[in-house]
Amino acid sequence: MINYDNVTSTCLAPYLLPTTQSKAFYQNVDGCGLSCTSDAQYSQDEQRGVKTSNTIQVSFGWIFGFAALFTMWIKPQKNLKSNVDFILVRIFLCRSIFALTMVFGMTLQFFSKSVFCEEDGTLRVSGGAPAFICGLSFFSIYVSELMDLQCLAILCFALSRVTKNAEKIKSHLTWFLIISFIVSIIIGIAAVSLHAVQGDSLVGICHVGKQPMHQAIFVIGIQGLFVIIGNVQL
């Protein structure tokens, strides 16, 4: 239960904290914003469980990310025997790099709560330019998500045409990846420009906010489009 004392007009901790930022006011309760360390939707035990799970996932993310990078980058370089091998290694090398980038974005929460917290302790919400560390977390994670989906779409496209245009696809593969990265950055900038980025205290990151319009455009719409493109290529 999120409480507000109507008599004394004070925010009752731990879920509401006083704030002067109008964009952070909770459901038009002037002067009160959601705490960035206590989520009213979950019990304290559930929140501790999720944060423990986050720590484990990030740890395994670094371990398996570097293992995949080593496998894709160092081991196969001397014996790429076919165009299919070349395409697979390049695509999964790309995915390994951006998997590590995503893990980096998730790791920032362990160094500073300002990823998802304002200076007054309230949750960082959409409505303005995010702080640098929040923006770094957002771009590391969201752009990596988009690149992962686009890498899979490019993989499906390349494999479906490798028998007819092998050399052409092989020579243009790097450009496909560069263009995909530029597109992902532009989409990320658009999300920031439209004030669609906010903190998520439970996961400890900055991502697309929970507003239905932002979710419809930047999660369901754009990410769904990349999934459809990849499936069409199959």
Side-chain angles (χ1 to χ4, degrees):
M1 175 68 71
I2 295 180
N3 296 315
Y4 175 75
D5 191 332
N6 291 312
V7 177
T8 61
S9 298
T10 57
C11 313
L12 299 182
Y15 301 121
L16 288 180
L17 296 175
T19 182
T20 58
Q21 301 183 67
S22 58
K23 66 179 183 179
F25 292 167
Y26 175 70
Q27 295 185 354
N28 298 319
V29 179
D30 291 355
C32 293
L34 289 174
S35 168
C36 67
T37 56
S38 297
D39 194 322
Q41 300 180 76
Y42 306 95
S43 69
Q44 293 297 320
D45 287 339
E46 288 173 327
Q47 291 180 58
R48 282 192 291 269
V50 171
K51 290 177 180 178
T52 300
S53 175
N54 289 343
T55 304
I56 294 172
Q57 288 183 52
V58 168
S59 300
F60 278 104
W62 283 116
I63 294 170
F64 289 115
F66 276 113
L69 187 64
F70 175 81
T71 303
M72 290 297 110
W73 179 256
I74 298 176
K75 296 295 287 183
Q77 296 302 311
K78 297 179 181 179
N79 52 5
L80 294 179
K81 298 179 181 179
S82 69
N83 291 316
V84 172
D85 289 342
F86 178 87
I87 292 170
L88 288 171
V89 168
R90 286 295 182 269
I91 292 296
F92 283 102
L93 175 62
C94 170
R95 295 191 69 199
S96 299
I97 291 171
F98 283 101
L100 285 172
T101 305
M102 186 183 299
V103 175
F104 168 76
M106 297 178 66
T107 304
L108 293 174
Q109 63 181 294
F110 301 112
F111 296 95
S112 175
K113 288 184 178 179
S114 60
V115 171
F116 52 89
C117 286
E118 298 285 359
E119 292 182 0
D120 56 14
T122 57
L123 183 66
R124 194 177 295 284
V125 298
S126 56
F132 172 77
I133 194 168
C134 173
L136 183 60
S137 172
F138 169 72
F139 275 97
S140 298
I141 295 170
Y142 186 67
V143 169
S144 296
E145 291 173 350
L146 296 182
M147 279 301 299
D148 186 61
L149 293 173
Q150 290 180 89
C151 282
L152 289 176
I154 293 170
L155 175 63
C156 294
F157 172 81
L159 292 180
S160 66
R161 292 161 175 78
V162 69
T163 55
K164 296 180 180 179
N165 303 293
E167 291 303 321
K168 188 174 182 180
I169 289 175
K170 185 176 176 179
S171 61
H172 287 76
L173 186 60
T174 301
W175 283 109
F176 287 155
L177 295 174
I178 292 173
I179 292 170
S180 297
F181 179 69
I182 293 172
V183 169
S184 300
I185 291 291
I186 291 173
I187 294 171
I189 292 172
V192 172
S193 301
L194 294 173
H195 310 309
V197 179
Q198 72 176 54
D200 187 324
S201 59
L202 191 64
V203 187
I205 63 174
C206 269
H207 206 270
V208 176
K210 297 179 181 179
Q211 290 83 344
M213 182 60 71
H214 295 158
Q215 288 283 318
I217 295 173
F218 294 106
V219 179
I220 299 173
I222 292 175
Q223 294 190 358
L225 177 63
F226 290 148
V227 171
I228 292 171
I229 292 172
N231 285 318
V232 167
Q233 302 304 324
L234 292 174

